[in-house]
Amino acid sequence: MIDHLRRYMPVLDWGRTYDRKAFSNDMIAAVIVTIMLIPQSLAYALLAGLPPEAGIYASIAPIILYAIFGTSRALAVGPVAVVSLLTASAVGQVAEQGTAGYAVAALTLAFLSGGFLVLMGVFRLGFFANFLSHPVIAGFITASGILIATSQLKHILGISAHGHTLPEMLGSIFAHLNEVNWITLAIGVSATGFLFWVRGNLKPTLRKLGTPPLISDILTKAGPVAAVVATTLSVWLLGLNDRGVKIVGEVPQSLPPLTLPGFTPDLLSALLVPAILISIIGFVESVSVAQTLAAKKRQRIDPDQELIGLGAANLGAAFTGGYPVTGGFARSVVNFDAGAETPAAGAFTAVGLAIAAVALTPLVYFLPNATLAATIIVAVLSLVDLSILQKTWRYSRADFTAVAATIVLTLGLGVEVGVASGVTISVLLHLYKTSRPHVAEVGLVPGTQHFRNILRHKVETDPALVTLRVDESLYFVNARFLEDLVQKRVTNGCGIQNVVLMFSAVNEVDYSALESLEAINHRLKDMGVGLHLSEVKGPVMDRLKRSHFIDDLNGRVFLAQHDAWAALSKQNGQAKAAE
């Protein structure tokens, strides 16, 4: 019973060995992450089109629930830029921003996302995330970063603008340039420049001055807090809000409230597909970060249990005034670098944010929206990696096409279309690659029992014997390709008497591929050419034996390719005769 609970509640596992040292390290990490998350949570709520307190609420209960059900010891869960943008895009289609319906729709989106993730985890469907290729994910995140940064320019300029795509945003911004509030622009540009300087130069400067590493880290992570304090004081002391500078305003001074998502059929159906897309994107991003950090400490995570942990976090957000969450790259790296030993660091962070929600929210009344926009811009521009285009162009034109298409579609048609196209392109790219499997004609490397591609190595061949090494599992997409290739090779060859299909790399043969093998066998039999198999893996052979294919095979099945060469090669037979 206990072992079963540990499977679904990893806290029962790592909690048994929790000690004072781990507590100390987790507390230090929690302090650093909390300092970073206070302005970041407010900013991401703004990006999602929600009141600023929603960002803090979404960072409390979800973190605690992930600490109970998650398997990563360093992953920090909460609002992230891409998911916030996806939330704004999805919810904006069913409700108007600033209304009660908008907030309910965000809760419902978190509920649907959490339920979908938990179901995937229970049924161990984490492998579905593999349908999103990493180049496509990189392209989508890059395009999303550009969209997010562009969407925040209206707050930096102090103008009204709208749009969900890059052309719409830029068109709206240019149309309202005559409304620029120069004081807001000065605040926004100053805050952005300061935050970029903090990110790139403050830590090295402090280290040169002899500041201890831990203090340097804390001060660097507190850079956004310094920007918040400075700009808030400026607005308050100079009365800049009376001169058109838009501010956060009143933020409720309370712990996360108990909330209920909407359960009307129309709302659920409208948000179901966006919830699934958000779940997939969030899970892929979260697991990638978690696996990277776990590998550095020779730990492991369970992707299926991660689904449950993230699902529980989203369900917690749905019932405590939040919106969809996932594991964030920046905060997780900060958490890891700060020395977090266990998920308890996240729970301590949640406590710190709860204290901030109760005691500190009145202090952000005069916080200008331009400062929050600057925080978002600096954070998301680190996600923009246009070098992925150059890298994929050099390595694989197919991957480049997928990345470029994802970026263009996301920027031109919006994030939901970008996500959907990314999934579609990933699947189509996989199908395209596997529909044309690499099949090499191989020969014997002289003096060995190894067989290599005749186009790459100097090998022995026999004009009467053709060996084709199939470097891909065979299924309905590529079955006809192999069928046509064998037919072309045999009809173009002169005096071919035997064909060997080398199955060393074949892990699966589905029924469509079986029918193609049967067709190849019948055609070669009619031509008087033998069909043989070599190096067939056990599971593949077990399945082939369930059909009549092995009984009807116009040849033999060889354990090793060298056995086939020894039995079928005329050159080998002539050598034996000469002896």
Side-chain angles (χ1 to χ4, degrees):
M1 180 65 179
I2 296 297
D3 290 338
H4 186 70
L5 284 175
R6 286 176 187 160
R7 158 71 177 85
Y8 290 102
M9 298 179 66
V11 64
L12 298 177
D13 186 21
W14 59 262
R16 291 182 305 159
T17 57
Y18 198 70
D19 54 23
R20 182 175 297 179
K21 180 182 177 183
F23 172 79
S24 175
N25 291 335
D26 287 343
M27 281 297 296
I28 293 173
V31 170
I32 295 174
V33 174
T34 301
I35 291 172
M36 184 186 78
L37 283 189
I38 291 174
Q40 197 177 78
S41 298
L42 298 172
Y44 287 155
L46 180 71
L47 176 59
L50 292 163
E53 64 269 18
I56 295 180
Y57 295 162
S59 301
I60 297 177
I63 296 179
I64 295 174
L65 288 168
Y66 179 82
I68 296 172
F69 295 101
T71 60
S72 172
R73 306 234 171 166
L75 191 70
V77 172
V80 299
V82 173
V83 171
S84 297
L85 179 65
L86 288 168
T87 298
S89 177
V91 176
Q93 297 180 14
V94 298
E96 185 177 350
Q97 186 173 329
T99 64
Y102 192 95
V104 171
L107 296 174
T108 306
L109 193 63
F111 174 78
L112 290 172
S113 179
F116 180 72
L117 288 166
V118 169
L119 285 176
M120 286 185 67
V122 170
F123 290 102
R124 297 180 177 273
L125 300 178
F127 66 89
F128 273 123
N130 296 332
F131 286 110
L132 265 179
S133 69
H134 285 283
V136 166
I137 294 171
F140 171 73
I141 291 178
T142 291
S144 297
I146 295 172
L147 284 179
I148 292 168
T150 305
S151 72
Q152 297 308 298
L153 290 178
K154 62 183 180 182
H155 298 297
I156 298 292
L157 297 170
I159 62 176
S160 299
H162 62 274
H164 296 291
T165 68
L166 189 61
E168 289 176 352
M169 291 178 188
L170 292 178
S172 182
I173 289 171
F174 281 116
H176 292 84
L177 278 179
N178 60 329
E179 304 171 5
V180 171
N181 184 297
W182 295 103
I183 299 176
T184 300
L185 179 61
I187 292 173
V189 171
S190 299
T192 304
F194 172 74
L195 291 175
F196 272 120
W197 178 82
V198 166
R199 173 165 290 202
N201 300 300
L202 180 57
K203 188 173 180 178
T205 301
L206 292 173
R207 294 302 301 275
K208 287 180 180 179
L209 295 174
T211 308
L214 179 59
I215 302 300
S216 299
D217 286 339
I218 294 177
L219 292 176
T220 301
K221 300 305 181 295
V225 176
V228 166
V229 172
T231 55
T232 300
L233 287 175
S234 298
V235 171
W236 175 50
L237 293 174
L238 301 177
L240 299 181
N241 56 309
D242 296 327
R243 301 174 65 180
V245 176
K246 294 182 180 180
I247 58 176
V248 169
E250 186 175 354
V251 177
Q253 191 174 357
S254 68
L255 292 172
L258 292 177
T259 54
L260 278 177
F263 295 107
T264 60
D266 290 342
L267 182 60
L268 293 174
S269 61
L271 294 177
L272 180 60
V273 173
I276 292 174
L277 295 176
I278 286 174
S279 300
I280 294 173
I281 288 292
F283 174 63
V284 170
E285 180 181 354
S286 177
V287 167
S288 299
V289 174
Q291 288 178 332
T292 300
L293 297 179
K296 291 183 178 181
K297 288 191 175 182
R298 297 191 177 184
Q299 298 168 348
R300 62 177 297 275
I301 66 165
D302 181 351
D304 293 316
Q305 183 60 31
E306 282 297 290
L307 284 165
I308 296 175
L310 291 174
N314 276 278
L315 291 175
F319 291 99
T320 57
Y323 66 97
V325 298
T326 191
F329 176 76
R331 71 186 65 181
S332 297
V333 171
V334 170
N335 196 38
F336 179 86
D337 290 342
E341 293 278 347
T342 72
F348 298 149
T349 300
V351 173
L353 290 171
I355 294 172
V358 171
L360 302 181
T361 50
L363 302 179
V364 299
Y365 181 91
F366 289 100
L367 173 62
N369 289 344
T371 302
L372 295 180
T375 301
I376 293 174
I377 290 173
V378 173
V380 301
L381 286 183
S382 64
L383 302 176
V384 176
D385 180 20
L386 293 176
S387 68
I388 189 67
L389 292 169
Q390 181 183 15
K391 294 174 183 175
T392 52
W393 175 263
R394 289 178 177 176
Y395 187 77
S396 168
R397 299 299 165 84
D399 285 333
F400 168 80
T401 302
V403 172
T406 302
I407 292 176
V408 170
L409 289 172
T410 302
L411 293 177
L413 299 177
V415 289
E416 288 190 5
V417 174
V419 175
S421 64
V423 175
T424 303
I425 291 170
S426 295
V427 173
L428 291 178
L429 185 61
H430 171 73
L431 293 177
Y432 172 75
K433 290 178 178 178
T434 57
S435 69
R436 302 178 63 82
H438 182 259
V439 179
E441 184 171 343
V442 299
L444 178 66
V445 177
T448 72
Q449 295 186 5
H450 299 292
F451 290 80
R452 293 292 184 268
N453 192 328
I454 63 173
L455 300 178
R456 295 176 178 270
H457 302 273
K458 292 182 179 181
V459 293
E460 297 177 6
T461 59
D462 187 332
L465 174 64
V466 172
T467 296
L468 300 174
R469 190 189 68 218
V470 184
D471 293 335
E472 183 70 62
S473 292
L474 298 176
Y475 67 119
F476 66 95
V477 173
N478 60 23
R480 284 299 301 271
F481 177 83
L482 179 64
E483 193 175 334
D484 294 340
L485 188 146
V486 172
Q487 182 74 10
K488 181 180 178 180
R489 179 63 183 88
V490 173
T491 53
N492 289 344
C494 182
I496 295 176
Q497 297 179 5
N498 292 286
V499 173
V500 180
L501 296 180
M502 187 175 173
F503 270 25
S504 54
V506 177
N507 297 315
E508 178 74 22
V509 175
D510 76 355
Y511 193 78
S512 297
L514 174 64
E515 290 185 331
S516 288
L517 291 175
E518 291 174 341
I520 294 171
N521 184 49
H522 290 311
R523 288 175 188 170
L524 293 183
K525 185 175 183 180
D526 292 340
M527 297 170 64
V529 177
L531 175 64
H532 312 269
L533 304 179
S534 72
E535 302 192 6
V536 183
K537 294 183 177 179
V540 176
M541 179 59 75
D542 292 341
R543 181 160 293 184
L544 292 178
K545 286 180 178 179
R546 296 175 197 165
S547 68
H548 296 288
F549 175 72
I550 298 298
D551 295 332
D552 298 336
L553 184 62
N554 180 33
R556 299 165 56 187
V557 178
F558 294 94
L559 181 64
Q561 175 58 31
H562 191 266
D563 295 339
W565 171 268
L568 303 174
S569 170
K570 284 188 175 182
Q571 291 185 3
N572 189 62
Q574 291 171 356
K576 287 184 177 179
E579 292 176 0

